Amino acid sequence: NQFTADQNKSLYNNSICCVGNTAELCVCEGVPICTCSFILSSRAAGMNGNGPSKFVDPLEDPLPGVGTYEDFNTIDWVREKTKDRDRHREITNKSKLSTVALLHSISDAFSGWLLMLLVGLMSGALAGGIDIAAHWLTDMKEGVCLIGFWFNHEHCCWTSNETTFKERDQCPQWQSWAELITGTSEGPFAYIMNYLMYIFWALLFAFLAVTLVRAFAPYACGSGIPEIKTILSGFIIRGYLGKWTLIIKTITLVLAVSSGLSLGKEGPLVHVACCCANILCHLFTKYRKNEAKRREVLSAAAAVGVSVAFGAPIGGVLFSLEEVSYYFPLKTLWRSFFAALVAAFTLRSINPFGNSRLVLFYVEFHAPWHMLELAPFILLGIFGGLWGALFIRANIAWCRRRKTTRLGHYPVMEVLVVTALTAVVAYPNSYTRMSGAELISELFNDCSLLDSSQLCGYKPVSVCVCVLADRPAGEGLYTALWQLALALVFKIMVTVITFGMKVPSGLFIPSMAVGAIAGRLLGVGMEQLAYYHHDWFLFKGWCSPGADCITPGLYAMVGAAACLGGVTRMTVSLVVIMFELTGGLEYIVPLMAATMTSKWVADAFGREGIYEAHIRLNGYPFLEPKEEFEHSSLTVDVMRPRRSDPALAVLTQEGMTVEEVEALVESTRYSGFPVVVSQESQRLVGFVFRRDLLISIDNARKRQEGVVGASQVVFTEHAPAHAADAPPPLRLRGILDLSPFTVTDHTPMDITVDIFRKLGLRQCLVTHNGRLLGIITKKDILKHMAQIANRDPDSILFN
């Protein structure tokens, strides 16, 4: 039943020769021909002028959509890496054939570096714009520049010749709202006017931020780091890194920071950088079509986000490695370093802080620290750990209340109420009125002889104070300490209810502010203790009279690191960020001691950091690498189906019709189906994904003649024999995963969990003596771990 040579020749010349069929290429009268096993009905259709039907095989003729994933699904890391390896092998083989292919191979190799360059440039430029705009709008709450409303307070007074040393930020060109409206800056009426305008601008900025987020990009709220961690682990959240999220997050981040809420822009800048990377990935086919490769770029983008947030490129790379990345090969490390470098250079070129420095809080401490000071540094670490544990529990309880009560139905009202409360309480205290970054910079400051800060309100010890030395506290310093104590209580309370609202909100700066306040208070206390009791055993020998032996700013820096470490559980990356942030390279040991103490104390109350706690609160399918599985269960205890469940839904490699397959898919919600030899033997052949199956059947109906509900679906290498009058079979071996990961029913669950973590699996099949028993998904593991921890297993929301 073969075609004649002329018919085969005609078929070949018309470029419709046996596509996807079991065909043999041979030569007839010098012309290549195909020997085809078309069924008679297909041949008749070809002879009637309709053209022979095209036999579709996804392996040889890839279909659009096959190999992609639906929203809120986990990617198959192994499949993605295999796809990239095959693509790279194909490009390498072709590069030996022609110059054009060689150039394509070179451009493909350098496309990753080019992408990193673009991500660094775009993220650095956006971060510089955010810094400038946030500084301008923050100052607008207190007044306006007459020579140009677009100038902030500092820039407005730069060129003025009428500023004094004690009032260096005052100049005629800058007027408060009271001066502008009432003509006077003194008296109770002027104070009330400035107070009301401060509240008005804070409410306006917060209202615009929450309204834009709610109307255009709901994913733009929050920090973004919990979701970034989940996405980097292989989960897909469509739109979370899209262009609308980037635009709205950039605008609303400026508004939220300027409103005076207890939040920072550093965490959300990681989200902004990842949005830039995701959008730029679409310019390169290698990254657009491979989810695993895209996540390598997103890991580098997370490093870029921290680099531009703090001016700490090395700390950013370590932050991505330690805190957010799930898969971090050496190649990603190098590219992260390059991207962070480009971003830092771009930010330095923009110079948003106006001081020609990259770091956010530059410090110049003159006195070295002493070994005995490790005791108060460790005390700050204990405080940081306690604060971190308290904050996580309180914030998660408040967020859970928001989710389960009517409070969650009114996000705009919640933001406005918290903003009004923050503005009303913050304005009377100068330390809560200023922005978080400005407050931390003030607390890190080391008092010089000519410093006019209230924190430097010491009594002179002689007629001419010409040396830097510990001095007795004066009235100004006592006032500052009371204000700082009140600011500490206020920051602790308001940060708990602010983080997690429907506006962009980072946690780095508020946590550092809490620690810096506590550290400065302790540092001043130590300084006064050393001054009045320098003859004590503790101070004798290293803290002589007239010597500058205690640096309160150093205590503030150590306290900031301790509190941030207690909340996030960062260690190595945090120490590097802190010394990059401040330039205080010689104070690494105090930072290390406080950070490790903070982590140990916080871990005693729970091993979860704030980001892991929010991941669990939101029910994201994330297997925490730091969490150990200590239960002695086996895979047979966790797999599906259980004893009371219906039988496992499987496909057979042949014998099922298109109609039966579609009915099985429609009656279930599974993401994929094991393929077995037959229902009787249950010997495993492979695994096929639901999405690939549906797309392939739909495309076959459109592109292959004769495919109907009665057509047989086959996953074998060769199409089986069938009756002459039967419809053509649909061969789908191309979408079949022939090497699915399997474990036996007696594999310990701790080993299975490690396999899932290290290979990034989305499912694993369970067998017994080669016979398929069941399936374990990441969701099943998370539910099992929740049950062990006495948590609600249904809190895992996503498949």
Side-chain angles (χ1 to χ4, degrees):
N1 292 328
Q2 304 300 322
F3 278 7
T4 65
D6 289 337
Q7 288 169 337
N8 275 321
K9 183 176 178 180
S10 173
L11 289 173
Y12 182 84
N13 291 337
N14 287 319
S15 302
I16 51 175
C17 180
C18 312
V19 177
N21 214 351
T22 52
E24 192 180 84
L25 190 64
C26 50
V27 178
C28 179
E29 299 178 355
V31 179
I33 60 172
C34 290
T35 305
C36 308
S37 57
F38 274 141
I39 57 175
L40 291 174
S41 58
S42 300
R43 203 181 320 156
M47 296 305 103
N48 287 334
N50 298 326
S53 60
K54 190 177 180 183
F55 202 75
V56 179
D57 182 356
L59 184 63
E60 299 178 13
D61 190 11
L63 303 175
V66 169
T68 59
Y69 303 92
E70 295 179 350
D71 199 7
F72 299 122
N73 265 255
T74 303
I75 70 169
D76 189 325
W77 284 90
V78 177
R79 180 168 74 163
E80 296 299 305
K81 297 302 291 182
T82 303
K83 279 167 50 179
D84 181 65
R85 189 166 55 250
D86 293 343
R87 183 199 62 81
H88 187 264
R89 187 181 294 120
E90 182 183 358
I91 291 175
T92 304
N93 293 335
K94 285 183 178 179
S95 66
K96 302 172 184 176
L97 303 178
S98 67
T99 306
V100 175
L102 178 62
L103 292 175
H104 178 255
S105 174
I106 295 172
S107 67
D108 181 77
F110 279 96
S111 61
W113 296 102
L114 177 59
L115 179 56
M116 291 298 100
L117 176 68
L118 295 176
V119 170
L121 291 172
M122 187 174 178
S123 301
L126 282 176
I130 289 171
D131 286 332
I132 293 170
H135 197 176
W136 170 56
L137 289 183
T138 300
D139 288 347
M140 185 178 282
K141 292 186 298 183
E142 298 186 358
V144 67
C145 186
L146 298 181
I147 59 175
F149 73 92
W150 54 88
F151 288 120
N152 61 35
H153 196 165
E154 185 180 4
H155 291 173
C156 188
C157 294
W158 265 359
T159 57
S160 176
N161 296 322
E162 302 175 44
T163 55
T164 63
F165 182 78
K166 288 190 175 181
E167 296 183 343
R168 66 182 70 183
D169 58 343
Q170 298 299 322
C171 62
Q173 290 84 3
W174 178 269
Q175 289 196 355
S176 66
W177 291 109
E179 287 181 280
L180 204 62
I181 297 171
T182 65
T184 178
S185 60
E186 303 294 334
F189 185 69
Y191 181 84
I192 293 172
M193 178 59 66
N194 285 330
Y195 200 162
L196 293 175
M197 289 301 295
Y198 181 90
I199 297 172
F200 166 76
W201 285 110
L203 288 172
L204 177 63
F205 293 155
F207 176 75
L208 289 174
V210 69
T211 304
L212 288 172
V213 166
R214 192 178 184 192
F216 296 103
Y219 284 152
C221 67
S223 165
I225 293 181
E227 287 77 12
I228 296 295
K229 287 189 69 166
T230 308
I231 289 171
L232 287 178
S233 74
F235 197 56
I236 290 179
I237 308 177
R238 302 282 183 209
Y240 197 84
L241 301 176
K243 58 180 180 301
W244 272 110
T245 305
L246 173 62
I247 294 169
I248 298 302
K249 185 118 188 176
T250 303
I251 296 171
T252 55
L253 179 56
V254 173
L255 293 168
V257 171
S258 305
S259 67
L261 287 166
S262 183
L263 48 84
K265 61 181 181 296
E266 284 66 29
L269 277 174
V270 175
H271 189 184
V272 168
C274 288
C275 287
C276 295
N278 185 63
I279 292 168
L280 291 170
C281 275
H282 287 81
L283 301 176
F284 301 87
T285 307
K286 177 165 71 171
Y287 298 99
R288 183 177 67 249
K289 293 188 175 181
N290 193 293
E291 294 289 348
K293 295 293 291 180
R294 189 182 306 185
R295 273 151 182 78
E296 293 179 17
V297 177
L298 294 179
S299 290
V304 170
V306 175
S307 174
V308 296
F310 292 112
I314 301 174
V317 175
L318 292 175
F319 172 81
S320 179
L321 172 62
E322 179 184 5
E323 190 61 27
V324 297
S325 291
Y326 199 84
Y327 175 68
F328 203 84
L330 267 179
K331 180 172 60 177
T332 304
L333 178 70
W334 301 329
R335 289 181 176 173
S336 300
F337 185 78
F338 173 68
L341 171 67
V342 172
F345 176 78
T346 305
L347 189 67
R348 171 65 181 78
S349 303
I350 296 172
N351 193 20
F353 309 120
N355 56 7
S356 298
R357 291 195 182 102
L358 185 62
V359 298
L360 195 57
F361 314 114
Y362 185 75
V363 297
E364 288 182 295
F365 298 144
H366 303 283
W369 62 278
H370 195 271
M371 191 63 67
L372 289 174
E373 287 185 284
L374 278 178
F377 293 152
I378 290 173
L379 192 63
L380 285 174
I382 294 172
F383 172 80
L386 292 174
W387 146 252
L390 170 68
F391 173 80
I392 291 171
R393 293 197 175 188
N395 180 252
I396 293 299
W398 178 258
C399 290
R400 187 171 285 114
R401 182 176 179 82
R402 182 188 290 127
K403 279 178 173 289
T404 57
T405 62
R406 292 180 61 84
L407 178 65
H409 298 295
Y410 304 102
V412 177
M413 184 60 63
E414 181 193 9
V415 169
L416 292 179
V417 169
V418 174
T419 304
L421 177 67
T422 304
V424 168
V425 178
Y427 186 82
N429 189 336
S430 60
Y431 293 110
T432 52
R433 187 193 314 168
M434 62 179 66
S435 66
E438 194 178 352
L439 170 63
I440 295 170
S441 183
E442 180 85 0
L443 295 167
F444 283 5
N445 180 40
D446 186 27
C447 290
S448 63
L449 293 174
L450 301 176
D451 208 315
S452 60
S453 170
Q454 202 173 16
L455 282 170
C456 300
Y458 294 97
K459 293 178 183 177
V461 293
S462 64
V463 178
C464 174
V465 181
C466 52
V467 292
L468 287 169
D470 289 334
R471 293 159 285 175
E475 186 178 340
L477 182 57
Y478 282 122
T479 304
L481 293 180
W482 275 110
Q483 289 180 338
L484 281 179
L486 294 173
L488 178 63
V489 175
F490 170 72
K491 284 283 185 184
I492 287 175
M493 294 176 65
V494 78
T495 305
V496 168
I497 61 175
T498 302
F499 187 70
M501 293 196 307
K502 297 301 181 185
V503 292
S505 53
L507 195 58
F508 281 56
I509 290 295
S511 298
M512 289 176 66
V514 169
I517 294 172
R520 188 77 186 203
L521 291 172
L522 181 61
V524 172
M526 286 290 295
E527 181 188 47
Q528 296 306 303
L529 197 65
Y531 175 80
Y532 287 108
H533 304 283
H534 55 78
D535 55 344
W536 280 9
F537 171 75
L538 291 175
F539 302 110
K540 201 171 184 180
W542 68 279
C543 203
S544 56
D548 184 22
C549 55
I550 302 291
T551 307
L554 172 60
Y555 285 73
M557 187 169 78
V558 172
C563 280
L564 184 54
V567 171
T568 62
R569 310 300 162 85
M570 295 159 55
T571 52
V572 180
S573 58
L574 175 59
V575 172
V576 175
I577 287 172
M578 287 304 297
F579 81 71
E580 279 192 282
L581 190 64
T582 58
L585 192 60
E586 60 197 272
Y587 302 109
I588 289 182
V589 173
L591 290 171
M592 291 174 66
T595 302
M596 282 309 304
T597 305
S598 170
K599 177 175 172 55
W600 287 333
V601 171
D603 281 350
F605 295 92
R607 298 183 67 84
E608 282 185 331
I610 185 64
Y611 302 129
E612 291 79 19
H614 273 268
I615 286 173
R616 183 163 56 82
L617 176 69
N618 293 324
Y620 297 134
F622 181 76
L623 278 174
E624 175 56 54
K626 303 170 189 173
E627 188 177 353
E628 295 182 6
F629 188 91
E630 298 175 348
H631 202 261
S632 59
S633 53
L634 303 176
T635 52
V636 71
D637 304 320
V638 182
M639 72 174 194
R640 301 283 179 176
R642 305 283 174 83
R643 288 189 180 89
S644 57
D645 293 343
L648 186 66
V650 298
L651 301 173
T652 56
Q653 66 176 354
E654 59 185 47
M656 294 184 71
T657 64
V658 170
E659 192 174 12
E660 290 171 341
V661 171
E662 288 180 326
L664 177 64
V665 172
E666 287 298 321
S667 63
T668 60
R669 300 301 304 162
Y670 306 131
S671 295
F673 302 91
V675 178
V676 295
V677 172
S678 66
Q679 293 289 355
E680 293 75 25
S681 74
Q682 291 287 307
R683 189 162 59 86
L684 183 64
V685 176
F687 190 86
V688 64
F689 289 102
R690 175 197 190 93
R691 181 178 175 85
D692 294 354
L693 192 61
L694 290 173
I695 290 174
S696 299
I697 292 175
D698 184 57
N699 273 273
R701 286 185 184 277
K702 295 175 182 176
R703 297 170 57 186
Q704 181 178 337
E705 287 187 20
V707 173
V708 293
S711 297
Q712 192 177 133
V713 177
V714 294
F715 294 96
T716 53
E717 189 172 354
H718 302 286
H722 54 278
D725 57 347
L730 178 59
R731 182 168 162 239
L732 297 179
R733 187 176 177 83
I735 64 171
L736 182 65
D737 179 8
L738 293 170
S739 56
F741 277 87
T742 60
V743 292
T744 66
D745 52 339
H746 285 89
T747 304
M749 273 306 296
D750 55 343
I751 295 177
T752 305
V753 171
D754 273 345
I755 292 173
F756 268 81
R757 282 175 179 156
K758 292 173 181 175
L759 295 178
L761 301 185
R762 57 184 282 170
Q763 75 279 318
C764 186
L765 301 176
V766 183
T767 60
H768 178 73
N769 294 335
R771 188 173 182 271
L772 179 66
L773 282 187
I775 186 171
I776 295 180
T777 65
K778 185 188 283 189
K779 186 177 178 181
D780 294 327
I781 291 176
L782 289 166
K783 284 191 171 186
H784 182 66
M785 294 172 75
Q787 285 177 327
I788 293 173
N790 293 321
R791 299 195 304 263
D792 180 17
D794 292 329
S795 62
I796 310 301
L797 300 177
F798 297 105
N799 187 345

